Amino acid sequence: MITINENYLKLQDSYLFSTIAKKVAKFQEEHPDKQIIKLGIGDVTLPIPETCGDAIKKATDEMLQKETFRGYGPEQGYDFLREKIAKYDYETLGINIDKNEIFVSDGAKCDTGNIGEIFGNDNIIAITDPVYPVYLDTNVMAGRTGEYNKQNNQYENVVYLATNSENNFIPELPKKRVDMIYLCFPNNPTGTVLTKSELAKWVKYAKENKAIILFDGAYEAFITEEGIPHSIYEIEGAKEVAIEFRSFSKTAGFTGVRCAYTVVPKELKAYTSGGKEVSLNSLWNRRQCTKFNGVPYITQRAAEAIYSEKGQKQIKDNIRYYQENAKIIREGLEKEGYTVFGGKNAPYIWLKVPKKYTSWEFFDYLLETVNIVGTPGTGFGPSGEGYFRLTAFGSRENTIEAMERIRNMKK
Ligand code: MLT
């Protein structure tokens, strides 16, 4: 008899963004005349930079010629891209990352989800709450959590680090010892950030407790304020305790192109149950070589083009466009009396929902009355209750129109 991985049965409903997509599709079907504005999932709306498009065309031409065609590439990514990443994303911050510490992939979602495979299932995980659901769900699938407790909406065996307005969205160090700590800053979903000194506390904790930090830096390009770390490796000693995930999705409009990378420093070690040190770089390399055949050559050429002078200008223009959207949303909501967080160093705006609604009720209310889609805070975890997320990745027209609709909406 074929059996299943029963950990999947512990998962709650469907994946958050699929649930939302289904609800929206149903509403649209019932109200075909309504112009829905989607500010829910953080998907970009501007096209990829022209220079990336040119690189794609050129690489496609190469693939069409016998002399320049390429088959399987290196599983870790082509050197031409890894070298650029090391030089432009890290050297510029004064951080020395060797190209062999960089693993190019098809997305930070996959990498943050897959990375758990190289860690023991008895590790205790800590997640901020609210959190990007992939970190938690993939640990549920792996069996690293207990059952879901409907009383507190938490999985057993998981340390939830509440981040909310009461603690200024700064997670406290866990009271109980943990092994795998997921941090995402600038944060998805709250749009808030940690200063260098706050982040340094986590690096210190990880060192003292032989723990590892899984640092998702997918939104670093949206940082506008000084003193906010763009990489965890800006903190001294972080290379000994942290894996960093980066993505071209939000930075260069690659949500549909698919390219990201993960940095696994050579210094990074974890232990066998007998206490023997093992290099995580080697383990991840082994995992990738076995299960992944690399990102398409064409895609990697597109990613490389981002680092050209023209590419840098074009992505900065796009990022500025979304930052301006974030400002429009933030200021528009504040004017209407909402309490708003994030949106200054991140493309996400996290607002407090009016007291009479739960966050899912507010989702329904916005969808039904003004036809705007956002994401209910509770979809990201129990501490998200009472909050709601809007993204700045919509078009300018839709962003302005959404604020106009909210202004005229009965609260
Ligand atoms: C989000 O809306 O949280 C993101 O778009 C999800 C993702 O990047 O996978």
Side-chain angles (χ1 to χ4, degrees):
M1 177 180 75
I2 180 73
T3 60
I4 58 155
N5 173 355
E6 290 190 24
N7 293 312
Y8 275 66
L9 302 181
K10 297 180 195 162
L11 292 165
Q12 296 309 293
D13 305 328
S14 64
Y15 182 60
L16 173 65
F17 295 109
S18 321
T19 309
I20 293 174
K22 268 190 222 131
K23 269 183 171 260
V24 175
K26 183 166 177 284
F27 180 83
Q28 186 76 88
E29 204 182 297
E30 288 163 3
H31 305 88
D33 55 316
K34 300 284 187 206
Q35 294 296 317
I36 298 177
I37 298 180
K38 293 183 182 165
L39 303 179
I41 190 164
D43 195 4
V44 292
T45 47
L46 289 176
I48 59 168
E50 214 180 291
T51 173
C52 298
D54 292 343
I56 289 173
K57 287 179 197 156
K58 184 163 174 274
T60 307
D61 285 341
E62 286 176 44
M63 293 298 265
L64 288 164
Q65 305 298 323
K66 217 163 150 201
E67 300 73 32
T68 47
F69 163 81
R70 307 217 185 190
Y72 291 129
E75 293 90 347
Q76 306 79 358
Y78 282 101
D79 277 356
F80 63 75
L81 179 56
R82 295 167 98 196
E83 278 160 10
K84 296 262 176 4
I85 292 168
K87 183 161 177 211
Y88 294 104
D89 288 350
Y90 290 103
E91 239 179 79
T92 48
L93 296 174
I95 300 163
N96 181 23
I97 297 288
D98 184 79
K99 70 172 192 298
N100 294 319
E101 296 174 311
I102 297 166
F103 296 84
V104 176
S105 78
D106 59 345
K109 179 178 181 177
C110 319
D111 283 355
T112 54
N114 291 330
I115 197 80
E117 282 185 29
I118 63 170
F119 297 105
N121 270 7
D122 47 357
N123 284 305
I124 301 291
I125 69 155
I127 50 160
T128 54
D129 170 26
V131 75
Y132 177 46
V134 173
Y135 316 149
L136 178 61
D137 285 4
T138 53
N139 277 289
V140 175
M141 291 168 177
R144 218 168 270 124
T145 74
E147 292 294 333
Y148 187 73
N149 179 344
K150 287 213 166 68
Q151 242 86 56
N152 61 5
N153 294 322
Q154 295 187 348
Y155 282 94
E156 284 155 13
N157 280 348
V158 175
V159 173
Y160 287 74
L161 308 163
T163 52
N164 49 37
S165 58
E166 274 108 79
N167 60 14
N168 233 347
F169 298 93
I170 300 172
E172 262 182 45
L173 292 176
K175 304 224 174 5
K176 164 178 179 214
R177 219 195 77 86
V178 300
D179 307 296
M180 293 164 66
I181 305 159
Y182 288 85
L183 295 179
C184 170
F185 287 100
N187 187 255
N188 180 13
T190 66
T192 56
V193 286
L194 284 192
T195 59
K196 251 187 206 163
S197 60
E198 282 300 336
L199 192 54
K201 288 185 194 162
W202 288 94
V203 171
K204 185 164 174 279
Y205 175 93
K207 273 193 172 174
E208 287 170 359
N209 291 280
K210 292 196 166 158
I212 189 151
I213 300 173
L214 301 155
F215 189 79
D216 187 345
Y219 301 98
E220 64 77 31
F222 294 85
I223 294 173
T224 56
E225 291 175 326
E226 294 287 313
I228 308 298
H230 284 252
S231 163
I232 193 164
Y233 304 125
E234 288 180 52
I235 314 295
E236 215 189 304
K239 281 178 80 181
E240 291 155 44
V241 292
I243 291 177
E244 179 160 287
F245 305 92
R246 292 270 192 106
S247 166
F248 297 109
S249 284
K250 316 294 158 91
T251 322
F254 271 37
T255 52
V257 177
R258 309 304 312 147
C259 197
Y261 63 88
T262 290
V263 179
V264 189
K266 296 253 175 75
E267 293 90 325
L268 204 49
K269 304 279 189 301
Y271 305 86
T272 63
S273 50
K276 190 172 156 261
E277 270 189 5
V278 178
S279 152
L280 289 179
N281 180 286
S282 315
L283 285 195
W284 185 243
N285 188 47
R286 185 71 176 82
R287 190 266 174 207
Q288 291 298 80
C289 290
T290 306
K291 294 198 175 183
F292 187 58
N293 256 338
V295 174
Y297 170 71
I298 296 169
T299 304
Q300 293 192 58
R301 281 294 184 201
E304 181 196 25
I306 294 165
Y307 296 101
S308 65
E309 208 177 307
K310 219 165 126 197
Q312 284 297 295
K313 189 190 166 310
Q314 290 173 350
I315 65 163
K316 283 189 181 131
D317 287 348
N318 287 7
I319 289 166
R320 257 196 300 276
Y321 177 94
Y322 296 130
Q323 283 167 331
E324 183 60 26
N325 282 354
K327 189 162 176 268
I328 292 169
I329 298 175
R330 224 181 48 231
E331 291 178 355
L333 291 171
E334 277 169 352
K335 233 187 241 161
E336 292 310 303
Y338 288 91
T339 307
V340 182
F341 307 95
K344 280 195 182 134
N345 296 297
Y348 296 122
I349 295 92
W350 189 243
L351 59 128
K352 271 204 166 139
V353 304
K355 281 211 163 42
K356 61 179 169 182
Y357 302 111
T358 64
S359 48
W360 270 112
E361 282 166 1
F362 191 64
F363 171 90
D364 290 332
Y365 183 70
L366 274 193
L367 178 61
E368 283 156 22
T369 57
V370 285
N371 316 134
I372 294 172
V373 181
T375 312
T378 182
F380 298 103
S383 295
E385 184 51 279
Y387 293 91
F388 196 77
R389 193 191 79 173
L390 290 175
T391 107
F393 288 122
S395 69
R396 178 63 46 76
E397 308 72 57
N398 277 350
T399 304
I400 293 172
E401 166 72 15
M403 287 305 105
E404 192 62 22
R405 291 188 194 177
I406 287 180
R407 199 159 64 80
N408 296 322
M409 176 181 87
K410 199 166 136 274
K411 277 208 210 99

